[in-house]
């Protein structure tokens, strides 16, 4: 028996919004430590890794490890049926071929359940090595989303250059060129507004704007985003989900032809 | 050129 309950459906809606543009389907691996999903996007350029810890749920029970392959478009249709303040419970029997989403209104007067067929997906798990990154940038997630959106107008790819002075995002194309520089903030009223840089060595890498923009769909999950970079290895874009886990996106840098 | 992510991480 698997059962996981969240007080608010909003968080699950936001998680789905953060992955459904990149993935058509995904396998949710459930164990007593929580729920994990790892999947490459359709073109195999980026990787999504979602971790939701069992202690972050209002209620969590997982008697036996189960893997639930879900069509994310179908899941999105079901989650649309939940109000933001509904409690959501995800339930499945051991070896089941369906999963049930149950939504309860705050006053418990409306209860709805939606059963969805599970899929058998060919899952190809990738081992992600522990890496000490040369540069780790933390910045407001909305700021990163804005920069990605703005620079995508100029080019398909964006250069991210990180030094101890700051981080620079650049794009150039037929229209012209764009540069956005962010310095490390000295003092801020709110922690969420801070830009911080931990640098061992300066790094300059090029990434496809299309994927970066897809990652920023996770912005509603977290006020801050963390970018971890080293030469010649994939960028990690991480959004922490408060008290519940995180979503990480890995993107291979572009290489000069 | 855009390499795939699988070229960086090994299958486990």
């Amino acid at each position: 028996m698997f059962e996981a309950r969240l007080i608010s459906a909003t968080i699950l809606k936001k998680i789905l919004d953060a992955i459904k543009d990149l993935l058509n389907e995904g396998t949710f691996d459930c164990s007593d430590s929580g729920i994990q999903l790892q999947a490459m996007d359709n073109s195999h350029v980026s990787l999504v890794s979602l971790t939701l810890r069992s202690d972050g749920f209002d209620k969590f029970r997982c008697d036996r490890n189960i893997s639930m392959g879900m069509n994310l478009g179908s899941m999105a249709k079901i989650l649309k049926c939940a109000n933001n303040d509904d409690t959501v419970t995800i339930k499945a029997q051991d070896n089941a071929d369906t999963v049930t989403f149950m939504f309860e209104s705050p006053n418990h007067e409306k209860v709805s359940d939606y059963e969805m067929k599970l899929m058998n997906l060919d899952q190809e798990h990738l081992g992600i090595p522990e890496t000490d990154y040369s540069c780790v940038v933390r910045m407001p997630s909305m700021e990163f989303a804005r920069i990605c959106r703005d620079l995508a107008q100029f080019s398909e790819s964006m250069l991210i250059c990180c030094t101890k002075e700051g981080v620079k995002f650049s794009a150039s194309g037929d229209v012209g060129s764009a540069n956005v520089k962010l310095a490390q903030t000295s003092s801020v009223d709110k922690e969420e507004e801070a830009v911080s840089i931990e640098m061992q060595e300066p790094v300059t890498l090029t990434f496809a704007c299309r994927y970066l923009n897809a990652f920023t769909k996770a912005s509603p999950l977290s006020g801050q985003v963390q970018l971890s970079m080293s030469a010649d290895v994939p960028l990690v874009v991480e959004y922490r989900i408060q008290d519940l886990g995180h979503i990480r996106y890995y993107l291979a840098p572009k290489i000069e032809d | 050129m855009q390499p795939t992510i699988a070229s960086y991480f090994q299958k486990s």
Side-chain angles (χ1 to χ4, degrees):
Chain A
M1 174 80 183
F2 169 76
E3 190 173 339
R5 187 167 70 202
L6 286 168
I7 290 292
S8 142
T10 317
I11 194 85
L12 200 57
K13 288 179 184 226
K14 287 178 183 173
I15 289 169
L16 193 65
D17 284 341
I19 60 176
K20 70 177 167 54
D21 287 359
L22 285 166
L23 312 173
N24 296 329
E25 59 244 342
T27 299
F28 292 79
D29 295 312
C30 308
S31 69
D32 58 5
S33 62
I35 302 175
Q36 288 219 306
L37 174 145
Q38 193 209 70
M40 284 184 275
D41 73 276
N42 299 332
S43 53
H44 290 198
V45 169
S46 67
L47 181 80
V48 179
S49 175
L50 170 72
T51 298
L52 305 173
R53 293 188 313 270
S54 53
D55 60 18
F57 288 82
D58 179 45
K59 182 184 175 187
F60 194 91
R61 174 182 166 187
C62 184
D63 301 335
R64 290 175 60 184
N65 292 2
I66 57 166
S67 292
M68 297 191 287
M70 297 193 205
N71 178 300
L72 300 182
S74 306
M75 191 176 164
K77 282 182 190 169
I78 289 174
L79 287 181
K80 261 191 199 159
C81 305
N83 285 319
N84 285 343
D85 57 356
D86 281 353
T87 298
V88 54
T89 307
I90 309 166
K91 284 194 278 195
Q93 299 296 330
D94 294 339
N95 304 315
D97 55 5
T98 61
V99 59
T100 300
F101 294 87
M102 188 175 84
F103 307 131
E104 279 178 275
S105 64
N107 59 13
H108 306 288
E109 283 169 2
K110 180 182 173 189
V111 179
S112 33
D113 59 82
Y114 297 85
E115 194 180 70
M116 185 174 84
K117 286 177 195 150
L118 293 174
M119 309 166 77
N120 264 323
L121 300 172
D122 265 340
Q123 43 176 351
E124 194 175 46
H125 266 271
L126 298 177
I128 301 162
E130 281 290 315
T131 309
D132 286 328
Y133 288 94
S134 302
C135 294
V136 177
V137 179
R138 291 185 190 85
M139 61 187 285
S141 58
M142 292 311 290
E143 185 69 82
F144 180 60
R146 177 72 199 260
I147 291 169
C148 292
R149 193 191 71 192
D150 290 350
L151 267 55
Q153 300 182 103
F154 294 87
S155 174
E156 282 180 4
S157 42
M158 172 197 306
L159 205 70
I160 305 180
C161 173
C162 184
T163 63
K164 65 175 187 296
E165 279 76 40
V167 56
K168 187 171 84 170
F169 303 86
S170 313
S172 62
D174 298 340
V175 177
S177 64
N179 291 290
V180 180
K181 284 183 227 166
L182 290 181
Q184 187 157 210
T185 46
S186 45
S187 69
V188 284
D189 292 339
K190 291 182 200 160
E191 213 173 293
E192 288 202 341
E193 292 167 2
V195 175
S196 73
I197 296 163
E198 286 168 30
M199 192 210 73
Q200 314 298 326
E201 272 182 79
V203 174
T204 300
L205 291 166
T206 306
F207 299 101
C209 293
R210 193 181 138 213
Y211 293 95
L212 296 175
N213 268 313
F215 304 163
T216 63
K217 294 290 188 313
S219 305
L221 284 168
S222 181
Q224 285 251 311
V225 60
Q226 178 174 305
L227 313 176
S228 303
M229 291 170 286
S230 282
D232 306 322
V233 301
L235 160 79
V236 191
V237 180
E238 177 178 325
Y239 296 85
R240 289 189 187 152
I241 308 168
Q242 198 178 14
D243 301 327
L244 187 59
H246 59 253
I247 182 161
R248 290 184 185 139
Y249 302 94
Y250 296 84
L251 177 62
K254 284 186 137 186
I255 297 172
E256 276 187 55
D257 293 315
Chain B
M1 192 186 75
Q2 178 65 67
T4 64
I5 195 78
S7 61
Y8 288 91
F9 299 141
Q10 290 189 335
K11 287 174 197 172
S12 60

